Amino acid sequence: MEGAMQVETGMAVGMIPPAAGFGPVMLDVAGKTLAPDDIRRLRHPLTGGVILFGRNYEDRAQLCALTAAIHAERPGLLIAVDHEGGRVQRFRSDGFTRLPAMRLLGQLWERDVLQGTEAATATGFVLAAELRACGIDLSFTPVLDLDYGQSGVIGDRAFHRDPRVVTLLAKSLNHGLLLAGMANCGKHFPGHGFAQADSHVAMPVDERELAQILQDDARPYQWLGMSLAAVMPAHVIYPKVDSRPAGFSKKWLSILRRDLGFQGVIFSDDLSMEGASVAGDALARAEAALAAGCDMVLMCNSPDKADLLLAKLNRKQSLASADRVAALVPQPGPEQGMSAADRWNRLQDDPRYRGALDIVRALMKD
């Protein structure tokens, strides 16, 4: 990231001490409140984060109570969500703004470049400000995949076919996130847009040569540079480069670190997905992802597999990885101690938020 900054929403990113006592596993919770098994998992030293889903949401008051309960069990634990906009938006009611699919921003760019970048910044700000007001630290966004028009799972989640447009719109969206005190996570490295299969239910394969992938799909990761805080590799096999999916490939993650100069956090994609099955059982998948260079692995929708990782994973998070993950957790600011309702009301009175909201709502009406 391009340095931490204090913002009026009350949070800064990138300025907290090493996350001693936190581990490399991000898992989920079963429902809208914490069950005893959830608490047991949260307290485990290998747990380093929690990801929330639509099933964890009823309304804002309940969501705020849930995130407060998670932080009460493990202060400083990273709470994340997939909340991109369009069809991937976990919270859609009780005041949460309906956010555009990223393709709409690319289409706006085609009509007016500056209006497109303005709308991208506004979208990032609204997205992050609303999540931060409810105690969520990070959204796994933006999607940096190119829109080849042939991947159903990516589809309108992508900004554009041109990597230059993707880069500049993502940079604007990331700026909006940062203004609201949130880091970012680009996905799915080096690119999922060309492969047609959905890695949730199948094993996508991209037969292109390394040079072509680096020239097109991977360019946003290079061009975003220090403004990119985290990256999630794809569960896609690129057989001309490596027989393993990118998230389990030392070669791909070395390209990301060494050749593209990425210094942030590498998250695995969900290890319960079909695209991860080539790496073996749940434990083997986690070990392979961490050995390849991931800082944190995600195990979602599979409490039995999460329990297996917590019981048997024999790889502790390095101090460097802990520092990188810790830099994603916002610092407490002026809103610390406020009730959830007061935080939300304060947000509604923020002129920047109101201005950004007008831009997003106008885009959604077009």
Side-chain angles (χ1 to χ4, degrees), residues 44 80 85 97 105 128 143 165 181 200 318 337:
H44 196 284
T97 301
L105 294 169
V143 169
V165 177
H200 291 86
S318 70

Side-chain angles (χ1 to χ4, degrees), residues 15-189:
M15 296 182 64
I16 75 172
F22 291 96
V25 178
M26 176 173 281
L27 41 75
D28 53 14
V29 296
K32 296 178 175 65
T33 59
L34 293 182
D37 280 344
D38 295 320
I39 293 172
R40 170 179 56 80
R41 296 184 189 105
L42 291 176
R43 291 177 175 174
H44 196 284
L46 288 181
T47 299
V50 174
I51 181 169
L52 300 180
F53 291 91
R55 68 171 184 271
N56 303 122
Y57 180 73
E58 179 177 314
D59 54 36
R60 283 190 293 105
Q62 169 271 322
L63 179 62
C64 291
L66 177 59
T67 58
I70 293 170
H71 281 144
E73 292 297 333
R74 292 291 297 280
L77 197 71
L78 183 70
I79 301 180
V81 66
D82 279 319
H83 196 83
E84 305 167 6
R87 57 194 161 95
V88 182
Q89 181 174 341
R90 304 306 185 197
F91 317 130
R92 298 171 177 267
S93 61
D94 198 17
F96 275 98
T97 301
R98 188 166 65 97
L99 299 167
M102 296 301 100
R103 181 183 284 167
L104 286 180
L105 294 169
Q107 291 170 345
L108 180 57
W109 167 285
E110 294 282 0
R111 301 193 298 270
D112 187 320
V113 170
L114 294 180
Q115 193 175 3
T117 57
E118 178 190 39
T121 302
T123 298
F125 185 82
V126 170
L127 183 162
E130 292 179 353
L131 292 179
R132 289 296 311 121
C134 295
I136 295 172
D137 304 315
L138 177 72
S139 176
F140 288 117
T141 190
V143 169
L144 301 180
D145 303 313
L146 304 188
D147 187 3
Y148 288 94
Q150 61 192 36
S151 173
V153 70
I154 301 302
D156 65 0
R157 298 165 67 193
F159 289 105
H160 205 272
R161 168 61 181 85
D162 189 329
R164 298 169 298 179
V165 177
V166 170
T167 300
L168 293 176
L169 286 174
K171 193 174 185 68
S172 294
L173 186 128
N174 288 350
H175 186 206
L177 297 176
L178 185 60
L179 288 172
M182 183 176 284
N184 61 73
C185 180
K187 58 187 186 184
H188 307 79
F189 177 81

